[in-house]
Each structure stands twice: as structure tokens, then as C-alpha cells.
Amino acid sequence: MSGPYVIRGSVSLPEAELMWRFSRSSGPGGQHVNTSDSQVELRFDLARTEALPPVWKARALERLASRLVGGVLVVRASEHRSQWRNRETAAVRLASLLAEATAPPPKPRRATKVPRGINERRLREKKQRAETKRGRSSRDWS
């Protein structure tokens, strides 16, 4: 297991703040499935962590509010038969969730006018389509 997990830049998740829980996984495994605790549940207390800068922490708390249970972010992984691979999957998923949640907001879009040439071309093509359709009418077939 390679920890600490880098979120962005020099900010990373310390191994001491990660809480692991293991349980039996439903899914592939055959005879092995009833004896091993391969499902991984990774908990990270986002509300109390000191690993994130205050601005990032506030941003993450706001964006992940629907996923938090008492300020704790929970990530589960049970795709693999191996507990080790599930641990790595859960940790990478947590790091990417936090990286996405702490990203700075995008720059606001500046409203711009539609260029005159584009508008003129649209109207010209519209007139051409109308002319084509008018030519399909059966009025002047006699």
C-alpha cells in the first residue's frame, strides 16, 4: 500500500486520518468468498481533518455535503477478489473525489455578442430552405 495519497500539489492524505473497515464481499470468489473479508470501507473525517487547507476544506464540505455522514466521507470498494487491490481502489477513489471537490471553481463565462457574419449566414440559409420548400408546392404544376 502506497500512502500518503496525493490530492493535488503538495497536499496529501495522511495514513493516520484514514479509517479502514473490512467485511465479506458479495461477488466473485467461489469457495474463497465465504472466508475472506475482501470488501473495503474507507472513512475519512473531512470535518475534522487538518491535512487540507481551510479554503479547500470548506469547498469540499460544501460540494460533498450529500455524500457526508456526520462530516465523514465513506468510500467502498469490492470489485476485486483481493483485499489489497480493493484497498488501493478505495484510496485512489477517495483521493480523486477530494481532488475534484477541492478544485477551484471555473472562471465565469463572459457573455459575448453573436458575430454579424454568423447571423447573416444563418438568415441566408434560412431563406434558401424556405425557397426550396416553396418550390415543392404543387400549385404551379399545370
Side-chain angles (χ1 to χ4, degrees), residues 44-50 52-74 97-103:
F44 179 67
D45 196 345
L46 187 57
R48 293 193 187 136
T49 187
E50 296 298 320
L52 300 176
V55 176
W56 286 21
K57 188 173 165 181
R59 212 179 281 156
L61 282 169
E62 180 186 330
R63 290 182 183 168
L64 296 173
S66 62
R67 286 195 64 146
L68 298 176
V69 179
V72 177
L73 182 61
V74 180
L97 252 175
L98 288 173
E100 194 177 308
T102 58

Side-chain angles (χ1 to χ4, degrees), residues 78-108:
S78 61
E79 293 86 39
H80 307 289
R81 287 178 59 175
S82 161
Q83 185 188 98
W84 185 260
R85 287 178 66 191
N86 282 333
R87 282 178 68 131
E88 287 184 342
T89 302
V92 167
R93 202 178 291 162
L94 176 70
S96 66
L97 252 175
L98 288 173
E100 194 177 308
T102 58
K107 290 182 179 177

